[in-house]
Each structure stands twice: as C-alpha cells, then as structure tokens.
Amino acid sequence: MENSDKNLLKEPKAEWGGTWTEKKLNAFAKYVAAYLTILKKYPYFKTIYFDGFAGSSERKTTEISPLYRELHLTESDEKLYKGAAERILSLPEELSFDYYYFIDANKLSIDKLKIKLADFQKSKVNPFQFKSGDCNKFLFDLSEAMHKQNPKYASLVFLDPFGMQIKWESIESLKNTRTDIWILIPTGVIVNRLLDRNGNLEHTEILQSFFGLSEQEFRNEFYLTQTQQTLFGEDEIIRKVDRPLEKIAGLYVRRLKTIWKFVTENPLILKNSRGVPIFHFVFASNNASALKIAKQIIKSV
C-alpha cells in the first residue's frame, strides 16, 4: 500500500450508527475497501479474505451463556455482531478478494452462513470456502499457503471471537507473510476478570496460550509486590496494577510487534451499552501505509 489518500476511507459510506458492534464493523469495512482499492494496482497478488469467527449473522436461540449476557448487547448489537461477511461482500464488485474463507467452530452456524451468502457467490469466480472447526488449525493452514507464495498471496485476516479461543502460536505462524490482521481483544469482558486483584491466577493456562507468555512474565506485567511493616515484621502484599485494561491492550500490541512491523498503538476501544470498555480492536501489518490508513479509520469512527 503506497497511497494513504483519505478519500479511500469514504468507501463504503458509514450509515450504521454508533454502537460498539457498528463501530467495529464500520472500521473494518472501511479498511477492506481501502485495502482492495490499493491492491487493484498490484494484480499479481492473489488476495485472500479470512474470517475466523464468521458465524451465521443470526441471533442465538439456544441458552445464552453468562459471558454473552454480561456484554449487555442491545437488540441492534445482536443483529450486527456477526455481520462482517455480508458487509464485505456488499462492496462494489471491483472491490473483491480472489478467495474467501469463512470459519466457525459451530457447523450449524457455518451451514446457515453458506445459505445466507449464496447470492453473493454468483458474482464471484472462485467458490467460497466454508469450514467448521478450530480457527487455530485454519490459521496454520493459511500460514502454510502464504509461506509457499506460489502464486504470491496477500491476505486480510479478521478475528473477532467473544472469548480467548485464539492461541498465540497461531498468530505467530503468520510471521513473515504478507498478511494484515484485525483482531478483537476481550480486554474488559474476559482478560481483566482473569487477573485476580490479589494475584491468585486460577486460569494461567488460558492467559499463557492467548498471550504466549509464562505465568511469571504475566505477573511481572500486572502485579506489584510491596513490603509492609507489621507488628510481626515485614509482610509482602501483592496488588494489581492501576488501569489494567490499557495495560492488557498495550501488552497485546507489544506481542504483535514481535510479528508485524506496524501495529496500532491506540486500538479502537469498544464499549457496551453501559459505556464500559469490553474490547480493544487492534490492527497489524508489515506496511507503513496500511497502518496510517488504519489509524485514520480508528479516529473517524
């Protein structure tokens, strides 16, 4: 990407309002339009769109988990939460990827999505790929294809899970590929809750898998040890750092910088209907112009 013309950010028009789901999809759709507009100038690249949690764009009718309730989604939020696929495919025909991969752990959801996107398939040369299963496996598959680079591929990865299903090793596998990524980090709704106030980490395996860090490294990031004088001598007190949400997002940004050259220092902060930060939406690329565009988009939504 060599052109960061702000006019690129005008496609598609943002008419979707201001809730956190809309902000996320608004930002991502704007980036996709700019990304494809620029890559049209480089036809020797085969472009790949990879959505790791594509879902079915439908409200769940089964029992809703406590985590889902705590997001405090409005009715509008629920309708839009998994709407990325249709928005990306609704872009002008000249703004198309060569290949589309839609992944979801739930086979029923991916089957429903396949039906929903059938009309969009008619105008595309290559058949959409719908896969059910662990997103981590398919990220490794994508990485393998990208490293072969025959033909040359340019991929855009969109990861927006509710939870912490993404393993760091999957993200790390994309190192040294021509891949841009947007990833939703559950800073407030999950990660911060796993960081016990007194340092009693009961789910360190989840944190280690998600961030690719050891338990001690995590403790060094989020806990302070202070010495307090008591009647019985010195006593050590462990306390959690201030402003943990910012530090969680900052840590993931630093981790991404070990893979990509350019990462948004100030991700898009997404808040629920009560105004509480629940996610940070982070972008990473090996292209400086791509980062500039992403930063402009984050400021505009």
Side-chain angles (χ1 to χ4, degrees):
M1 293 187 178
E2 297 179 356
N3 181 5
S4 59
D5 188 349
K6 290 185 178 181
N7 289 331
L8 293 173
L9 307 186
K10 295 181 181 179
E11 288 287 351
K13 293 182 180 179
E15 302 291 347
W16 303 317
T19 65
W20 72 270
T21 45
E22 291 169 326
K23 287 182 68 174
K24 176 194 69 176
L25 293 178
N26 187 356
F28 183 65
K30 281 186 175 183
Y31 183 80
V32 172
Y35 176 89
L36 291 173
T37 298
I38 293 172
L39 278 179
K40 281 198 308 179
K41 301 176 183 178
Y42 308 98
Y44 47 84
F45 280 111
K46 295 294 183 181
T47 54
I48 299 171
Y49 174 70
F50 181 99
D51 186 340
F53 296 85
S56 64
S57 304
E58 293 185 359
R59 179 175 178 172
K60 299 180 184 298
T61 56
T62 56
E63 183 179 354
I64 297 175
S65 69
L67 169 60
Y68 193 84
R69 288 195 189 93
E70 289 170 8
L71 291 174
H72 299 294
L73 299 176
T74 64
E75 182 178 353
S76 176
D77 286 335
E78 291 186 350
K79 289 178 180 178
L80 290 166
Y81 186 77
K82 291 295 185 183
E86 290 169 282
R87 292 196 181 189
I88 300 313
L89 291 169
S90 295
L91 291 171
E93 186 58 37
E94 64 270 18
L95 299 181
S96 293
F97 290 88
D98 292 299
Y99 303 99
Y100 293 84
Y101 287 84
F102 301 104
I103 316 297
D104 199 271
N106 187 301
K107 187 178 186 304
L108 179 60
S109 290
I110 210 69
D111 288 343
K112 288 182 178 180
L113 183 65
K114 186 175 183 178
I115 295 172
K116 188 180 287 287
L117 300 184
D119 286 342
F120 292 105
Q121 176 68 86
K122 297 174 183 177
S123 63
K124 307 300 180 185
V125 175
N126 296 311
F128 298 157
Q129 297 296 311
F130 297 92
K131 304 289 184 180
S132 62
D134 185 353
C135 177
N136 293 287
K137 173 193 177 301
F138 294 110
L139 283 172
F140 276 112
D141 291 345
L142 173 65
S143 171
E144 183 178 358
M146 294 291 292
H147 278 103
K148 288 181 179 177
Q149 293 188 351
N150 186 24
K152 289 188 175 180
Y153 294 125
S155 68
L156 178 59
V157 173
F158 177 55
L159 302 175
D160 69 333
F162 269 126
M164 298 171 69
Q165 299 95 319
I166 298 298
K167 297 178 180 179
W168 180 253
E169 61 183 2
S170 307
I171 300 296
E172 196 171 34
S173 73
L174 296 171
K175 189 171 185 176
N176 298 323
T177 65
R178 188 181 177 90
T179 300
D180 289 5
I181 187 170
W182 284 89
I183 182 168
L184 199 66
I185 312 302
T187 47
V189 73
I190 299 181
V191 181
N192 189 44
R193 298 184 182 192
L194 295 181
L195 298 174
D196 179 79
R197 183 176 299 178
N198 299 315
N200 299 317
L201 301 180
E202 296 182 359
H203 302 283
T204 55
E205 70 285 352
I206 297 176
L207 295 169
Q208 290 176 52
S209 174
F210 188 76
F211 287 89
L213 295 173
S214 68
E215 178 178 345
Q216 188 56 53
E217 287 174 314
F218 227 88
R219 289 187 180 278
N220 293 342
E221 291 282 346
F222 293 100
Y223 294 97
L224 302 173
T225 301
Q226 299 174 330
T227 301
Q228 179 175 292
Q229 193 67 38
T230 71
L231 292 174
F232 305 100
E234 292 185 343
D235 190 16
E236 284 192 347
I237 297 177
I238 298 176
R239 72 172 183 86
K240 192 174 174 180
V241 296
D242 296 330
R243 307 179 74 164
L245 296 187
E246 292 180 16
K247 293 185 181 297
I248 293 167
L251 174 59
Y252 206 86
V253 165
R254 297 204 317 269
R255 297 295 290 140
L256 289 175
K257 284 184 176 180
T258 66
I259 303 173
W260 283 277
K261 294 179 181 178
F262 306 102
V263 185
T264 46
E265 294 279 358
N266 298 302
L268 180 62
I269 301 174
L270 301 172
K271 302 177 181 180
N272 65 15
S273 58
R274 298 182 180 181
V276 178
I278 50 177
F279 293 106
H280 282 69
F281 197 30
V282 186
F283 171 78
S285 174
N286 285 318
N287 189 286
S289 295
L291 176 66
K292 189 173 183 179
I293 290 173
K295 289 168 67 176
Q296 291 170 354
I297 290 171
I298 288 173
K299 289 180 180 179
S300 72
V301 296

